Amino acid sequence: MEETLKILVVDNDETDRMTVRVTLNQAGIPMILHEVSDGNKALCVMKKHNYDCVFLDYHLPDQDGLTLIHKLRSLEIKIPLVVLTAQGDEKIAVELMKAGATDYLPKSKLTSEGLARILRNSIRVYRAEMQVAIVNQQLRETNEQLIRKNQELEKQREHIQLQNLKLLEAARIKSQFLATISHELRTPMNAIIGFSQILLRPKFGELTNQQKDMIERILNNGKNLLLLLNEVLDFAKIEAKRLELKPEVFDVSKVVHSAVAEMRSLAEIKKLSLLVNIDLQNNKIFNDPVRVRQILNNLLSNAVKFTESGEIWVEVKEISTNLVIIIVRDTGIGISPRDYKHIFEAFRQVDQGITRKYSGTGLGLAIIDSLVRMMGGKIFIESQLGVGSMFKIELPRKVTLTSAMMDTPGINLDNDGIFYAKNSSYNPSVSNKTSMGYPNLKL
Ligand code: ADP
């Protein structure tokens, strides 16, 4: 059903108003029609009612159509407005359209079809314009909101950038402090170690057992502290991206044997067997021997530290002419898979409590991870709680000078490059041993 339209006719000529009324009725438009005879009355009713369309005679007794249109616009009354013009008023009609009239119609051409068409068109155009205006308004509001949000985001970004700079500066100062303090502490520590060693020599006179015991304790504690200081110093260097590899050709089996020999006395104290198997066609590798030794020392001292009984195996083999692997296995307390990721983070230990059983800084694996990445290698870990752990380091036989000399990658926080066993199938049991007497590595 067609909607009933509310229409206003503004014309001082009774006959003209009647013509419009009759013509609209002839067109069969359902409507409520109001009629007024001058501009002021038109303004009054338009303020009160919402009309769907107004037919306005241009020549009104109190004002012309243009003045009335201006008044309506200034009052923000928006209505489809069709101006009825006399013969020869075409120029005026153009002015009226510019001022905001929706359309115009010469009175001489008033037919029911023409009037109905102009009425429907005007209403359609007006409603479309209104919708566009609403959408435009919404767009403007959204735009303003976006601008505000953008400004807020920009402020937050600046704030975060500032915080970042402060954090970077704090991290730099911390690394600098760590490097300086550990460096400064190393000199007196070396003196303590050196003089304790001298005091233990027989040529400096006989010591009582008690004195000897005390000096040995000073020496051992000094050595432990020096190891700790070296770890902190390395960590600070890695963080500051100042650690470089010094690669050379060396015999990897010698470095492995020497690291194992150094660890043997500690293993013996805990009654642990320390077994080595080196199966290489070519013993020579091109890498930094000091850093390879450091990796071995760390893995071996962890294996001894976290194993109460059983065995520790060290195995070195080549899986291709270009790849050498070093494996350190133990029958220790093991590591739960949920901790695999964390133990490679700096200062992270499975047991972080102050009453923890095992000493250490939590830096060893973080340093190993950085070194292995600098060497272009990979770390694999396989472990099972209560059964033992296996750390496998895969290294290129020849480190490339670019990776060795390039900036240190920095301490790894997300542990990419470390490979964890998908399920904990770690099994160092005797039945799983190869003919060499070492367990099969299911890698
Ligand atoms: P630290 O040994 O100084 O605590 P690391 O970075 O070398 O630091 O090791 C981090 C943690 O990983 C250790 O505290 C321990 O919880 C775990 N972990 C490392 N190696 C072993 C291992 N062989 N067996 C069991 N746990 C280990």
Side-chain angles (χ1 to χ4, degrees):
M1 204 175 74
E2 216 177 331
E3 66 175 311
T4 304
L5 300 174
K6 212 165 167 187
I7 293 171
L8 176 68
V9 180
V10 188
D11 200 324
N12 61 321
D13 188 322
E14 169 84 60
T15 324
D16 285 351
R17 287 206 306 269
M18 194 183 72
T19 313
V20 174
R21 190 189 325 134
V22 170
T23 318
L24 283 171
N25 277 331
Q26 279 171 354
I29 294 165
M31 60 178 177
I32 297 166
L33 193 77
H34 290 174
E35 294 175 22
V36 288
S37 56
D38 65 43
N40 284 334
K41 282 182 193 147
L43 276 175
C44 259
V45 287
M46 275 193 260
K47 276 185 208 166
K48 277 195 216 146
H49 301 276
N50 279 330
Y51 290 103
D52 293 301
C53 187
V54 176
F55 289 98
L56 173 69
D57 177 25
Y58 179 72
H59 299 285
L60 293 172
D62 55 347
Q63 55 202 296
D64 62 24
L66 198 60
T67 316
L68 186 66
I69 288 175
H70 283 308
K71 280 184 187 167
L72 284 173
R73 298 301 168 213
S74 67
L75 288 169
E76 298 223 351
I77 297 175
K78 288 176 185 151
I79 288 176
L81 226 146
V82 179
V83 187
L84 300 169
T85 55
Q87 194 72 31
D89 275 352
E90 277 75 17
K91 260 194 180 163
I92 294 170
V94 174
E95 286 299 304
L96 290 163
M97 296 286 284
K98 278 187 195 162
T102 319
D103 211 340
Y104 72 96
L105 183 68
K107 282 185 181 175
S108 54
K109 293 187 184 158
L110 218 60
T111 60
S112 58
E113 299 88 63
L115 200 64
R117 196 183 60 245
I118 242 173
L119 174 70
R120 289 199 178 101
N121 272 351
S122 300
I123 292 175
R124 208 176 48 237
V125 167
Y126 169 78
R127 286 183 181 169
E129 276 173 6
M130 283 302 104
Q131 278 203 321
V132 169
I134 289 169
V135 171
N136 271 346
Q137 178 61 22
Q138 282 170 347
L139 279 176
R140 262 196 302 279
E141 280 168 14
T142 315
N143 216 17
E144 277 163 20
Q145 271 179 0
L146 282 175
I147 290 171
R148 270 200 302 277
K149 281 255 150 17
N150 250 356
Q151 286 167 342
E152 275 169 29
L153 282 176
E154 183 58 22
K155 265 191 206 153
Q156 278 175 8
R157 199 187 60 79
E158 278 168 15
H159 184 69
I160 290 170
Q161 211 172 21
L162 202 73
Q163 297 284 4
N164 246 356
L165 286 178
K166 282 186 188 164
L167 280 175
L168 281 176
E169 181 58 7
R172 195 191 61 78
I173 292 171
K174 186 202 72 190
S175 300
Q176 185 66 43
F177 172 76
L178 281 179
T180 314
I181 205 82
S182 42
H183 194 264
E184 289 302 309
L185 286 174
R186 261 176 10 147
T187 315
M189 198 50 68
N190 276 324
I192 291 169
I193 291 169
F195 286 120
S196 334
Q197 279 166 335
I198 292 171
L199 279 175
L200 284 172
R201 284 185 203 151
K203 70 171 176 179
F204 283 93
E206 272 304 308
L207 297 171
T208 64
N209 281 347
Q210 203 185 9
Q211 284 168 332
K212 202 172 156 224
D213 180 55
M214 285 194 285
I215 295 171
E216 269 168 1
R217 283 188 197 201
I218 293 172
L219 180 62
N220 288 335
N221 280 307
K223 281 182 180 167
N224 283 341
L225 271 175
L226 190 64
L227 282 176
L228 214 131
L229 286 174
N230 284 339
E231 264 191 357
V232 175
L233 191 61
D234 277 344
F235 170 71
K237 273 194 203 158
I238 290 172
E239 269 215 321
K241 300 187 190 297
R242 282 206 327 260
L243 194 129
E244 270 183 6
L245 294 181
K246 296 184 179 71
E248 60 183 76
V249 177
F250 66 96
D251 185 335
V252 66
S253 65
K254 278 191 186 156
V255 171
V256 174
H257 280 301
S258 153
V260 169
E262 193 181 299
M263 208 52 66
R264 196 166 291 286
S265 57
L266 277 181
E268 275 166 8
I269 293 172
K270 293 181 90 175
K271 299 195 171 50
L272 303 171
S273 327
L274 188 47
L275 308 160
V276 190
N277 176 38
I278 297 177
D279 182 14
L280 292 171
Q281 300 289 321
N282 177 5
N283 286 351
K284 294 282 186 321
I285 67 168
F286 179 72
N287 202 324
D288 183 334
V290 175
R291 297 300 173 186
V292 171
R293 172 74 185 257
Q294 184 178 359
I295 293 172
L296 274 160
N297 282 350
N298 265 318
L299 291 179
L300 279 169
S301 68
N302 274 350
V304 173
K305 182 162 68 176
F306 295 107
T307 306
E308 298 311 325
S309 63
E311 291 153 329
I312 293 160
W313 298 275
V314 182
E315 189 173 10
V316 185
K317 56 185 182 182
E318 51 211 349
I319 40 176
S320 72
T321 43
N322 298 327
L323 275 183
V324 172
I325 60 170
I326 300 173
I327 298 155
V328 177
R329 280 178 167 260
D330 63 55
T331 50
I333 58 171
I335 304 156
S336 141
R338 66 157 198 265
D339 292 319
Y340 285 0
K341 207 171 153 58
H342 305 302
I343 55 172
F344 289 91
E345 289 168 11
F347 303 111
R348 286 294 285 263
Q349 297 171 309
V350 171
D351 181 0
Q352 298 263 64
I354 41 167
T355 55
R356 68 182 193 271
K357 192 172 165 191
Y358 303 100
S359 62
T361 54
L363 286 175
L365 288 179
I367 293 171
I368 290 182
D369 174 39
S370 289
L371 290 176
V372 170
R373 284 194 292 146
M374 281 176 81
M375 293 169 181
K378 289 176 186 162
I379 305 176
F380 296 82
I381 170 173
E382 202 178 301
S383 186
Q384 202 176 331
L385 275 181
V387 181
S389 310
M390 186 278 308
F391 287 86
K392 182 177 89 157
I393 311 287
E394 199 176 277
L395 293 176
R397 184 177 290 281
K398 215 172 148 188
V399 293
T400 53
L401 279 178
T402 40
S403 70
M405 297 306 174
M406 84 185 172
D407 269 354
T408 319
I411 288 288
N412 184 19
L413 292 177
D414 50 10
N415 296 315
D416 46 328
I418 297 163
F419 299 83
Y420 316 114
K422 287 229 170 58
N423 45 25
S424 290
S425 57
Y426 184 78
N427 180 9
S429 65
V430 180
S431 62
N432 208 16
K433 284 184 179 174
T434 64
S435 56
M436 299 298 294
Y438 300 101
N440 253 326
L441 295 165
K442 291 188 279 157
L443 298 167

